[in-house]
Amino acid sequence: MFQAILFYTFAAVLIGAAMGVIFSRNPVHAVMFLVLAFFQSSLLWLLAEAEFLAIVLILVYVGAVMVLFLFVVMMIDINVERVQGGLVRYAPLGLVIAGLMVVELVQLIWARSRFEVATGGFAATPEGYSNTEALGAILYTEHVYAFEIAAVILLLAIVAAISLTMRKREGLKVQNITSQVAARAKDRVRVVKMEAEKRQ
Amino acid sequence: MTISDFLPAAPEISLLCSICAVLLIDLFISDEKRVVTFWLALVALLLNIWVVVVSAPPDPTTIFDGSYIYDPLSQVLKVAATAVVALGFFYARDYLRQVGMLKGEFFVLGLFGLLGIMIMISAGSLLTMYLGLETLSLALYALVAFDRESPQAAESAMKYFVLGAIASGALLYGISWIYGVTGSLKFAEISQSIAVRPELNDVPLWFGMAFLVVGIAFKFGAVPFHMWLPDVYQGARSPVTLYIASAPKLAALALILRVLVDGLEGLHGVWQGMVMVIAVLSLVIGNVVAIAQSNIKRMLGYSAIAHVGFILLAVFAGSEAGYAASLFYTLTYVIMAAGAFGMVLLLSRQGFEAEAIADFKGLNARSPWFALMMLFFMFGMAGVPPWVGFFAKLNVINVVLDAGFPGLAILMVLASVVGAYYYLRVVWYMYFERAEDKSVFQAGRDTRALLSLNGLAVLALGIAPGWLLALCLAVIG
């Protein structure tokens, strides 16, 4: 019972935060609401005793990805009025997509309930069970190949990003240490002897 | 588990090590000696072929808990993909040097793409397949945008990236449904659970499978998911187009054979209809629209769509002979496509892209030998006997007839006749029009020799296709 109350509270705040993301006028507020939404969903995971996923969600998404988002939002100058106009224009399309997702979810739940006995609530984990350990064990044994390929993709992404962005442009102001060290005073300063100006 | 358990995956492991080696050595090479990276990449490819052949276990095996498959099919596809990438690097070298784009990243990204192709070929689970596909796609996006000065390349890379991301999304969505219904990501377990529990063969599973078919059709470039293909072929630099047009087709074939045949064979009656619609549309639209093209890269792009129609129809037939016919068709098509784009590269030089079909005018007067080679490639693609394309098409038509679809066989013949028009137009230009451009080819002697060998292979395989056909049947069975 207590768990159900907690679940519905967290879920309600989560949905409220998600609404806030799309309805807030200020993009910075929208990002903040998104942080709240992530936080709430990590609470839901904690409730399901998936503590590793909950912590990772906060560390990775809230700690790194959302901060990056904030940087981007603050750096680009978004015209708030234009964004608002877009919301009204795209609202019907968004509603259709949201409706589709609801229908699909219902269908999936229906398919599940047809083939298996439905169980209520989150299954309790046995005593001494570590979520982190279980995930680590499966990640480094059964899924080690996929894990390694994911690492390769990251390496490839680095190579691709650098090859696309690094270039030698003309007129770029770079430091040339050798020429700085080799510079001598007489190359830079010229002492000119000249007659003193006559008093007028 | 001991280290020898990983032995079937030795090709992927050694290729990754070679890539890292090439990447590091490339840092210490000055721009004037950049061709060293090309030779290193070539050594890596030859080493890869050697490892694929040597490390093969005697029997089909799976490792990494079923997420990696070794079977004879994977070996044939891996050797073919590596060889065709090596061919592409060779044709690209002289062109890249002339336009000042000979950079190590081209070869490194190409090798990464090959790694993705090999992962896909040996994928035993939907997860591995998806990760291999992403590796290949990421390398391709970067390669298309490789020429940073060209707004056209940037535009087509952007288009490819956005549409590719949507296709990946569709694929992942389909995978999640399949996983939700069958409870497994591995092809063997999926097909087993469909066989054991026939009640699973219902709308939710079909729904997920439809998304998988969409993803596959996009990666193949089949109608109606072909919009990216002509633009990317045209927008990318010719060496990149050559790369995209050749080896990834083998990966797409592995994708469809592993997912639809290994994994969802039990649903054959359901996906057959979807594949047929896609294949017929590709066949018709590809061939008809190609007639209207004046850019040769775009024309070859639409012709690729038409060829994909043939490959899909061979898979559609659903027999072992059909799968073997699709393998034969893809292998021979890849050889011809590499050669045709190799000719485009041969005619291009600094400040001049041989992109218009009209650039082939009077090639016979400039170089009778290479005009003959281009004639080989065009006749091969058109399906004129005795070039190899004829046997590839004949196989597919036979298989579709055996499956009991004479209407489709007639359609394929008609589409081939329409297709012959635009291939023959290139031949007409080469032999019966006057040359506007009389420059000498810049390509090195080794490149020319290889291109000639490529052209002769199209003829030789057509005269003696038996052994390759037998090989295709043997590895599928």
Side-chain angles (χ1 to χ4, degrees):
Chain A
M1 183 61 198
F2 180 60
Q3 236 195 3
I5 295 173
L6 275 184
F7 174 80
Y8 284 114
T9 323
F10 293 156
V13 177
L14 171 59
I15 292 171
M19 294 283 201
V21 175
I22 49 175
F23 285 118
S24 53
R25 289 183 164 273
N26 189 330
V28 177
H29 292 173
V31 174
M32 286 308 187
F33 273 120
L34 199 51
V35 169
L36 181 62
F38 277 133
F39 190 75
Q40 292 301 321
S41 33
S42 90
L43 284 184
L44 283 183
W45 263 337
L46 269 185
L47 214 56
E49 299 186 30
E51 67 276 355
F52 179 72
L53 290 177
I55 292 166
V56 164
L57 189 71
I58 291 188
L59 279 184
V60 175
Y61 278 87
V62 179
V65 177
M66 294 323 293
V67 172
L68 209 67
F69 256 56
L70 265 184
F71 274 130
V72 173
V73 165
M74 286 173 176
M75 264 194 268
I76 55 174
D77 190 22
I78 296 179
N79 188 342
V80 177
E81 294 304 314
R82 214 182 55 220
V83 173
Q84 286 299 315
L87 180 69
V88 176
R89 208 172 43 167
Y90 295 125
L93 183 68
L95 282 179
V96 169
I97 292 174
L100 262 179
M101 286 160 117
V102 169
V103 169
E104 286 156 4
L105 272 179
V106 169
Q107 207 184 4
L108 190 62
I109 292 165
W110 168 78
R112 268 273 191 238
S113 65
R114 247 182 78 182
F115 302 130
E116 278 164 40
V117 186
T119 51
F122 297 118
T125 52
E127 192 74 23
Y129 173 84
S130 164
N131 187 259
T132 317
E133 205 180 305
L135 260 180
I138 201 168
L139 200 59
Y140 290 104
T141 54
E142 194 181 333
H143 294 298
V144 66
Y145 186 50
F147 187 76
E148 293 297 328
I149 300 172
V152 171
I153 292 180
L154 284 181
L155 174 64
L156 168 60
I158 294 170
V159 173
I162 291 176
S163 76
L164 288 183
T165 51
M166 206 182 79
R167 61 176 87 191
K168 287 204 176 74
R169 267 179 311 187
E170 293 297 315
L172 212 61
K173 292 181 170 56
V174 290
Q175 236 181 342
N176 189 344
I177 311 272
T178 326
S179 71
Q180 279 177 336
V181 171
R184 284 166 305 173
K186 65 178 182 186
D187 296 337
R188 300 283 165 88
V189 184
R190 194 157 53 95
V191 181
V192 183
K193 270 220 158 69
M194 61 183 286
E195 296 291 311
E197 291 281 318
K198 291 259 169 55
R199 181 180 292 222
Q200 289 176 345
Chain B
M1 202 166 208
T2 58
I3 195 82
S4 61
D5 290 346
F6 297 131
L7 196 64
E12 280 80 2
I13 295 170
S14 81
L15 180 62
L16 182 60
C17 294
S18 328
I19 292 173
C20 293
V22 172
L23 193 61
L24 286 177
I25 297 172
D26 180 57
L27 287 176
F28 298 98
I29 297 173
S30 65
D31 271 341
E32 298 84 55
K33 293 188 189 137
R34 194 59 72 190
V35 79
V36 173
T37 312
F38 160 76
W39 289 111
L40 279 175
L42 214 62
V43 169
L45 291 171
L46 291 179
L47 186 75
N48 189 42
I49 291 183
W50 181 75
V51 173
V52 169
V53 173
V54 167
S55 74
D59 300 307
T61 40
T62 59
I63 52 170
F64 295 119
D65 280 294
S67 41
Y68 182 99
I69 296 180
Y70 162 79
D71 56 9
L73 172 69
S74 71
Q75 202 184 7
V76 168
L77 283 175
K78 277 178 194 173
V79 169
T82 313
V84 116
V85 167
L87 212 58
F89 280 2
F90 239 108
Y91 296 157
R93 180 194 55 176
D94 296 306
Y95 174 87
L96 287 175
R97 189 159 48 194
Q98 283 163 45
V99 299
M101 278 173 54
L102 192 65
K103 296 201 179 85
E105 286 85 2
F106 177 84
F107 300 109
V108 171
L109 288 172
L111 289 175
F112 265 121
L114 178 66
L115 182 63
I117 291 170
M118 288 181 28
I119 292 170
M120 285 174 77
I121 288 171
S122 270
S125 81
L126 286 163
L127 185 64
T128 321
M129 185 59 87
Y130 174 74
L131 286 170
L133 185 63
E134 283 303 293
T135 313
L136 170 62
S137 303
L138 197 55
L140 289 184
Y141 302 146
L143 277 174
V144 172
F146 195 64
D147 180 14
R148 290 178 307 218
E149 311 299 322
S150 149
Q152 241 192 349
E155 186 204 319
S156 57
M158 207 59 215
K159 200 168 191 171
Y160 192 23
F161 178 69
V162 172
L163 289 177
I166 293 173
S168 291
L171 204 64
L172 273 182
Y173 189 61
I175 289 173
S176 71
W177 273 80
I178 302 275
Y179 180 64
V181 175
T182 62
S184 176
L185 286 171
K186 282 154 197 155
F187 298 133
E189 288 175 14
I190 291 172
S191 78
Q192 200 190 1
S193 67
I194 294 173
V196 173
R197 296 167 61 194
E199 76 272 13
L200 287 182
N201 191 346
D202 200 1
V203 175
L205 196 59
W206 303 344
F207 185 77
M209 192 190 60
F211 279 93
L212 287 186
V213 173
V214 169
I216 292 170
F218 179 88
K219 293 300 167 191
F220 253 124
V223 180
F225 308 101
H226 66 293
M227 290 310 184
W228 61 275
L229 196 135
D231 289 346
V232 169
Y233 272 38
Q234 187 185 4
R237 279 299 182 117
S238 301
V240 179
T241 313
L242 196 170
Y243 188 94
I244 295 177
S246 53
K249 300 281 184 242
L250 294 168
L253 181 74
L255 177 67
I256 193 168
L257 286 184
R258 296 273 186 228
V259 173
L260 290 188
V261 179
D262 284 0
L264 300 169
E265 175 87 270
L267 272 63
H268 178 257
V270 187
W271 58 253
Q272 200 179 25
M274 302 183 197
V275 171
M276 186 190 78
V277 172
I278 294 172
V280 168
L281 283 176
S282 307
L283 208 57
V284 173
I285 292 179
N287 271 322
V288 170
V289 180
I291 293 175
Q293 305 306 319
S294 60
N295 181 305
I296 186 140
K297 281 157 76 180
R298 225 178 154 75
M299 184 203 98
L300 287 172
Y302 278 105
S303 111
I305 295 172
H307 287 289
V308 163
F310 269 97
I311 295 168
L312 288 178
L313 276 177
V315 176
F316 148 86
S319 56
E320 265 181 17
Y323 305 141
S326 72
L327 178 61
F328 183 83
Y329 200 106
T330 313
L331 286 175
T332 52
Y333 169 70
V334 160
I335 295 172
M336 292 186 287
F341 280 107
M343 283 300 300
V344 174
L345 281 173
L346 182 73
L347 260 64
S348 306
R349 59 180 179 278
Q350 189 176 15
F352 175 75
E353 298 284 331
E355 290 201 329
I357 301 177
D359 290 331
F360 281 81
K361 276 184 184 172
L363 185 63
N364 185 42
R366 288 167 65 194
S367 163
W369 175 250
F370 282 106
L372 188 68
M373 289 301 118
M374 188 63 181
L375 177 131
F376 280 13
F377 296 131
M378 289 296 114
F379 276 6
M381 284 195 182
V384 177
W387 284 274
V388 71
F390 170 73
F391 289 99
K393 285 186 163 61
L394 193 67
N395 268 334
V396 178
I397 292 172
N398 263 338
V399 164
V400 171
L401 271 179
D402 285 346
F405 296 94
L408 284 178
I410 293 171
L411 183 80
M412 279 193 275
V413 174
L414 287 179
S416 302
V417 172
V418 173
Y421 169 76
Y422 56 85
Y423 295 120
L424 290 180
R425 188 174 54 178
V426 177
V427 176
W428 172 270
Y429 275 173
M430 289 191 304
Y431 283 91
F432 303 108
E433 298 265 346
R434 291 173 63 82
E436 291 163 1
D437 165 42
K438 294 219 162 47
S439 60
V440 186
F441 300 144
Q442 313 273 321
R445 193 167 301 207
D446 43 3
T447 309
R448 291 164 178 231
L450 214 59
L451 193 58
S452 311
L453 216 63
N454 192 342
L456 292 175
V458 174
L459 182 63
L461 279 174
I463 292 170
W467 67 272
L468 187 60
L469 210 58
L471 180 74
C472 291
L473 271 169
V475 299
I476 292 284

